[in-house]
Amino acid sequence: MTAQTLRTPKALAELGLVSPDELPALERVAAQYAVAITPAMLELSAEPGVSRQFVPSAAELEVGANELPDPIGDEAHSPVEGVVHRYPDRVLLKANHACAVYCRFCFRREMVGPDGVRPLSRTAFDAAFGYVAANPQIWEVIVTGGDPFILSPRRLAHIAERLAAIPHVKVLRFHTRVPAVAPERVTDDFVAALKRFERAVYVALHANHASELTPQARAACAKLVDAGIPMLGQTVLLKGVNDTPAALEALFRAMVETRLKPYYLHHADLAPGTSHLRTGIAEGQALMRDLRGRLSGVAQPTYVLDIPGGHGKVPVGPCYLHGGEVEDPGGERHTYPPQ
C-alpha cells in the first residue's frame, strides 16, 4: 500500500480505492468534508466494513431535511470555547479539531479537519481550565476533539497536569481512534504523558469493525491497559459496516479479548450527508435483541441515541417488560412474579 496518510480523492483513485469516474463528485465532497486514511486502515481497505467508514462517497453530497450541522447540540451547551457542559458532573474538553482519520459519518464533520474550527489558543485553554476549576460539581473531564491522541506527548502531559491541579476532577477520560488507526503513536512516552494526571485515567477507543483490532492495535491497547489505564469501546451502528448480528458479535468479542469493555453502541447521528450509513432504531433494537443471551454480558454495550438539539443520550435498546410479563432471550414471555 503506502506509508503515507492519503488525503485526496486523486490519491485514492491512484490506489484503486475509487473509480476515476467518481473523482469530480468526490472532489466536491473533499472540499466540504476532510479526507484522511492512515496506512493502518489502508492495509484493511479490502474489507468493506472498514473502507466504507473512511473512503468518501458521492452520497455525502445528499443532505436530508432532518440532518443538522450540529446534530447533538454541542454549541447549545458550550459556556466557553472548547468546553461542552451538558451533564452536571462532567464536561467535554475539545482539545483539538483534527483527526488521524476522518470518518464519513462524523457528527462533528462540519467542524473538524484542516479547514474546520481553529485549534484552541493558549488563552482559550486557560479559559477552559478556569471554567472547570470554577465548577466544583465537575467530577470528570472527557478530552475529545477531533482526536486528542494526535497531540504530542508534551501537550497531552500539559493537559493532564493542568487538570490534576484541580482537586475536584477525579476522572480523566480520552476519546480516540488512534490505537486502532495509528497504533504506532502509542509509545511509552505517550502513555507516561497520560499518567501525569495521577488519578483515574480512562481511554475510550472508537472502533466499528472487528478487523480494526489488528495485532498492532491490540498491542497498542495492551500498552495502555498494562500501564493501569482501563479501556472502553465505543461503536457507531453503521449500515453496510456492522449492521448484522455476526459483525457486532465479532467486534464486541474482539474488544473484550483486547481488554476493552464495550461501552456504547451509538445510533448514528443526523450529520449532513450521512443517511446512506444510518440504520433505523428498530433495526438496532433487533440487533441488540439478537445478541442477548448468546453474547456474554461483559461484551454487551448500551445502545444509545444522542437526542438532537443537545438533550442528551438515552438508552434505546429493546424492552423485555410487557405489562405483567417478561420476555426471555429466546422471545418467550413469562408472567412475573410467577403466579
Side-chain angles (χ1 to χ4, degrees):
M1 274 293 180
T2 175
Q4 301 295 320
T5 294
L6 299 190
R7 300 183 183 277
T8 66
K10 181 181 178 183
L12 298 177
E14 289 171 352
L15 283 181
L17 296 175
V18 300
S19 164
D21 296 341
E22 299 176 87
L23 283 179
L26 295 184
E27 293 289 357
R28 290 169 57 202
V29 172
Q32 190 165 357
Y33 306 121
V35 174
I37 310 177
T38 58
M41 292 300 96
L42 287 168
E43 289 290 333
L44 302 176
S45 60
E47 169 53 66
V50 175
S51 62
R52 189 166 165 81
Q53 297 181 56
F54 305 118
V55 175
S57 164
E60 295 174 55
L61 298 171
E62 302 170 15
V63 178
N66 62 352
E67 294 179 336
L68 304 164
D70 181 18
I72 67 170
D74 276 355
E75 286 304 309
H77 296 279
S78 185
V80 298
E81 184 182 359
V83 172
V84 178
H85 195 177
R86 182 179 286 110
Y87 305 103
D89 73 334
R90 57 205 182 275
V91 296
L92 299 181
L93 175 61
K94 294 193 280 188
N96 65 321
H97 293 91
C99 298
V101 293
Y102 291 106
C103 307
R104 309 323 305 166
F105 49 90
C106 178
F107 65 91
R108 294 194 180 114
R109 64 195 329 228
E110 302 253 339
M111 307 168 198
V112 299
D115 300 319
V117 176
R118 62 182 175 83
L120 290 186
S121 66
R122 179 175 297 180
T123 300
F125 263 119
D126 286 342
F129 293 132
Y131 179 84
V132 174
N135 286 271
Q137 75 274 28
I138 297 174
W139 172 79
E140 179 184 28
V141 174
I142 302 162
V143 185
T144 180
D147 192 323
F149 273 23
I150 70 166
L151 299 175
S152 68
R154 179 185 60 82
R155 292 187 65 190
L156 288 171
H158 176 72
I159 292 170
E161 289 170 354
R162 289 291 299 269
L163 292 170
I166 304 173
H168 58 261
V169 176
K170 305 298 186 184
V171 180
L172 178 58
R173 190 189 339 161
F174 292 90
H175 284 190
T176 183
R177 294 205 79 161
V178 161
V181 304
E184 69 280 0
R185 290 192 58 82
V186 184
T187 62
D188 291 342
D189 287 346
F190 192 96
V191 175
L194 306 183
K195 298 284 285 183
R196 297 293 283 271
F197 181 64
E198 297 183 344
R199 293 196 279 276
V201 179
Y202 285 76
V203 170
L205 174 69
H206 174 182
N208 299 315
H209 194 274
S211 297
E212 296 171 55
L213 293 171
T214 61
Q216 295 81 7
R218 293 179 188 228
C221 292
K223 192 179 288 288
L224 290 161
V225 176
D226 289 344
I229 299 175
M231 292 192 68
L232 306 169
Q234 294 203 95
T235 297
V236 180
L237 181 59
L238 297 167
K239 187 183 296 183
V241 172
N242 56 22
D243 59 335
T244 66
L248 288 179
E249 180 177 356
L251 172 61
F252 298 148
R253 289 192 189 279
M255 283 183 172
V256 173
E257 291 163 9
T258 309
R259 292 183 285 172
L260 282 68
K261 169 68 181 82
Y263 173 45
Y264 280 149
L265 174 64
H266 294 269
H267 189 74
D269 296 306
L270 296 172
T274 62
S275 63
H276 61 295
L277 292 169
R278 278 198 305 277
T279 68
I281 289 178
E283 294 171 71
Q285 291 174 326
L287 288 166
M288 292 303 295
R289 186 182 294 275
D290 193 279
L291 295 179
R292 177 63 59 185
R294 77 188 232 187
L295 185 61
S296 168
V298 76
Q300 301 260 357
T302 301
Y303 181 36
V304 294
L305 171 70
D306 220 323
I307 303 171
H311 302 291
K313 292 185 188 71
V314 292
V316 291
C319 180
Y320 296 90
L321 293 175
H322 307 276
E325 296 182 321
V326 62
E327 183 179 342
D328 67 28
E332 186 177 349
R333 294 189 182 187
H334 310 270
T335 300
Y336 186 86
Q339 302 298 316

